[in-house]
């Protein structure tokens, strides 16, 4: 068999063919384990065929702090992934409803949030506000990008500000939390949704479990930092299996947006 056509499930150890993986949106048919998806696969899975128009495709990080080998690192990931940075964003339609969609791609430096990732998400939200669209962000991140220091942390305030203005305009925002969503992303736009969706069993947290344990001097509860735990404790509204995501988004948009004339909230 040619290499690269078979995948091993890390959860149940079964072997899955690439064709099955594709058909099932990279979910294990035996145990429902959700494999990582690329931003391209996510977009294809979520939006109406042919409706995605990418924006800000050329934004690139600069090495503002003179951080050792940062420029080379970014170039390396660009070559490896074909992306310019960790977020792909654009206009799209989902079941005919107008949205902007920003997708974080974990392959690019752990989808860490630097100034480009933050800027692209902010612009996608602002475009949604200006054009009466819903804003959707597929979140996955190892946290703020340390190579850009405070500039990375500022993205938390910038994205949150854009979301506040989007909410004031009466427009919906739906984040989709995927494995893993951590750090500054969890502490800003990932958890500011009108409805917060998460994929089954994905890890959601701020600091890692070891840091939390050492800081609080307490044993951590079972299932700590899973989507299921977060739903039980009110941080997540719905856990949605990948095959259901598109339909679930359509249903939510039907409640929250009026096709072709801005929003229910803005019209009221
Ligand atoms: Zn499995």
């Amino acid at each position: 068999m040619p290499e690269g056509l078979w995948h091993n499930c890390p959860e149940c150890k079964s072997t899955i063919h690439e064709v099955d993986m594709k058909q099932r949106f990279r979910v294990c048919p035996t145990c429902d384990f959700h494999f990582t998806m690329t931003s391209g696969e996510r977009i294809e899975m979520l939006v109406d065929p042919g409706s995605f128009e990418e924006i800000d495709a050329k934004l690139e990080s600069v090495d503002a702090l003179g951080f050792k080998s940062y420029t080379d690192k970014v170039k390396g990931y660009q070559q490896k992934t074909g992306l310019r940075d960790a977020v792909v964003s654009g206009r799209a339609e989902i079941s005919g409803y107008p949205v902007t969609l920003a997708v974080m791609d974990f392959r690019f430096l752990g989808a860490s949030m630097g100034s480009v990732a933050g800027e692209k998400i902010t612009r996608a939200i602002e475009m949604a506000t200006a054009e009466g669209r819903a804003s959707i962000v597929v979140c996955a991140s190892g946290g703020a990008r340390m190579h850009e220091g405070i500039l990375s942390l500022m993205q938390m305030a910038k994205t949150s500000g854009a979301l506040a203005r989007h909410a004031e305009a009466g427009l919906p925002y739906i984040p989709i939390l995927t494995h893993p969503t951590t750090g500054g992303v969890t502490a800003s736009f990932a958890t500011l949704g009108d409805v917060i969706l998460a994929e089954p069993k994905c890890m959601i947290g701020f600091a890692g479990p070891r840091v939390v344990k050492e800081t609080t001097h307490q044993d951590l509860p079972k299932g700590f930092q899973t989507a299921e735990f977060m739903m039980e404790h009110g941080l997540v509204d719905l856990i949605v299996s990948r095959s259901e995501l598109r339909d679930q988004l359509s249903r939510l948009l039907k409640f929250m947006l009026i096709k072709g004339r801005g929003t229910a909230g803005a019209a009221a």
Side-chain angles (χ1 to χ4, degrees), residues 177 190-198 204 226-239:
L177 278 46
T191 48
L192 289 172
D194 297 307
V195 181
I196 301 175
L197 308 184
I204 302 162
T226 57
E228 290 71 14
F229 185 91
M230 294 303 177
M231 186 153 124
E232 226 169 85
H233 291 81
L235 189 90
V236 164
D237 296 310
L238 274 175
I239 294 173

Side-chain angles (χ1 to χ4, degrees), residues 94-105:
I94 296 175
S95 297
Y97 292 97
V99 303
T100 63
L101 175 68
V103 181
M104 307 188 82
D105 197 312

Side-chain angles (χ1 to χ4, degrees), residues 8-14 16 27-33 35:
N8 281 318
C9 175
E11 190 82 14
C12 73
K13 315 289 175 217
S14 65
I16 314 152
V27 174
C28 174
T30 313
C31 74
D32 201 40
F33 177 80
F35 287 79

